[in-house]
Amino acid sequence: MLIDLHVHLDLYPDPRHVVAEVVRREMHALCMTTTPSAWAGTSALVENCKRIRVGLGLHPQLAQERLFELPLVDEYIKKTRYVGEIGLDGSPAHKKSMESQRRAFGYMLSCSTSAGGRFLSIHSRGATTAVLDMLASYPDAGIPILHWFSGNAAELRRAIEMGCWFSVGPGMTRTQKGSAHFMSMPEDRIITETDGPFFRINDQPAMPWNVEDALRDMSNMRDMDYLEITSIIYNNFNRLVRLLS
Ligand code: MN
């Protein structure tokens, strides 16, 4: 049973084809959105797909130009238990919009808190400490899942202490740093992701079923067989779903 907990189904060149294949493979997927206005259309795209859910998001890289969409969040947050992609991006190209990013991320966390807590898929590239500080100031926003964790070892320890979960994909398990992080993460708080189509494998957009690549790497690293790691991830997923209900 494959699970892709962070994927942008609406951004593939042929979204319907990818959705159909996810359904055919009986995968579970959490589809991110990058702007609040995308949430309704993306939800329609996966209507009747019972294993696919859609997160309500405002990607930090789009925060500045889409701040005006935040009022939509007040309405949509009541209709979904999933929020993402949200977070902060402190990389050189996006640092300058940090003020808007903080407003957007804070707004999403505040709405999630008022709504009683949501599942949160969080981007933290180049801004891990800032993301953890924000999460600490919204302790009732829900269950934080740090996607593609790329901070340092001390930040990882802090995230673990704060109760964060981690979604790990081939983008992490194929690098030395990502692999080292994976080995330090608690086994019971790891879920799989691809971040497709942004993450690419052999110059092609990663497909949701490429979580298999990450599972294979994980099984090698933790010296488990493929079925064992797959069932651990599936159990984690079921526990996560129960935490939200
Ligand atoms: Mn993403």
Side-chain angles (χ1 to χ4, degrees):
M1 190 70 78
L2 298 178
I3 301 150
D4 187 349
L5 219 72
H6 184 111
V7 61
H8 300 263
L9 293 174
D10 56 338
L11 300 181
Y12 283 93
D14 186 352
R16 285 180 194 286
H17 174 79
V18 181
V19 168
E21 189 59 22
V22 167
V23 170
R24 192 187 69 79
R25 291 172 185 248
E26 301 186 345
M27 283 187 65
H28 291 271
L30 179 61
C31 178
M32 296 292 106
T33 55
T34 55
T35 65
S37 59
W39 187 79
T42 305
S43 297
L45 174 73
V46 302
E47 211 181 1
N48 305 322
C49 305
K50 61 176 193 282
R51 296 187 184 85
I52 306 179
R53 293 287 183 267
V54 179
L56 171 61
L58 178 47
H59 196 289
Q61 296 174 2
L62 296 174
Q64 187 156 31
E65 60 183 86
R66 298 300 181 111
L67 273 182
F68 69 91
E69 289 190 19
L70 284 176
L72 289 174
V73 176
D74 303 326
E75 180 193 341
Y76 293 152
I77 193 87
K78 299 172 200 149
K79 302 180 181 176
T80 182
R81 292 190 296 161
Y82 306 88
V83 165
E85 179 164 357
I86 57 170
L88 300 174
D89 190 314
S91 61
H94 301 285
K95 234 183 180 144
K96 56 186 183 302
S97 67
M98 191 52 74
E99 218 23 65
S100 304
Q101 293 186 39
R102 285 177 180 282
R103 275 182 60 192
F105 187 34
Y107 196 87
M108 300 301 288
L109 293 176
S110 150
C111 287
S112 300
T113 304
S114 315
R118 290 292 182 263
F119 171 110
L120 312 161
S121 187
I122 302 170
H123 175 113
S124 56
R125 188 169 67 174
T128 310
T129 290
V131 162
L132 296 178
D133 288 345
M134 287 274 275
L135 288 174
S137 46
Y138 293 93
D140 300 318
I143 304 162
I145 295 150
L146 300 182
H147 122 81
W148 201 328
F149 183 88
S150 60
N152 61 36
E155 289 167 328
L156 178 58
R157 279 194 300 274
R158 182 179 171 208
I160 293 168
E161 280 162 21
M162 287 175 64
C164 294
W165 287 60
F166 303 91
S167 57
V168 175
M172 285 186 70
T173 58
R174 289 179 168 199
T175 67
Q176 219 175 7
K177 185 180 167 188
S179 302
H181 283 336
F182 165 72
M183 291 305 284
S184 306
M185 290 168 179
E187 187 177 283
D188 60 356
R189 273 193 256 153
I190 298 169
I191 303 278
T192 42
E193 68 162 39
T194 60
D195 203 18
F198 292 123
F199 179 64
R200 298 173 73 84
I201 298 176
N202 300 327
D203 215 30
Q204 295 294 320
M207 304 307 278
W209 43 95
N210 290 134
V211 292
E212 278 175 342
D213 299 28
L215 286 165
R216 227 169 272 122
D217 292 342
M218 289 175 177
S219 73
N220 291 332
M221 282 188 271
R222 297 226 175 186
D223 204 18
M224 291 174 177
D225 61 48
Y226 181 83
L227 286 178
E228 190 179 359
I229 189 79
T230 304
S231 89
I232 287 171
I233 299 295
Y234 189 61
N235 289 337
N236 289 348
F237 172 72
N238 282 322
R239 203 152 31 80
L240 189 61
V241 170
R242 282 197 304 271
L243 282 175
L244 269 177
S245 51

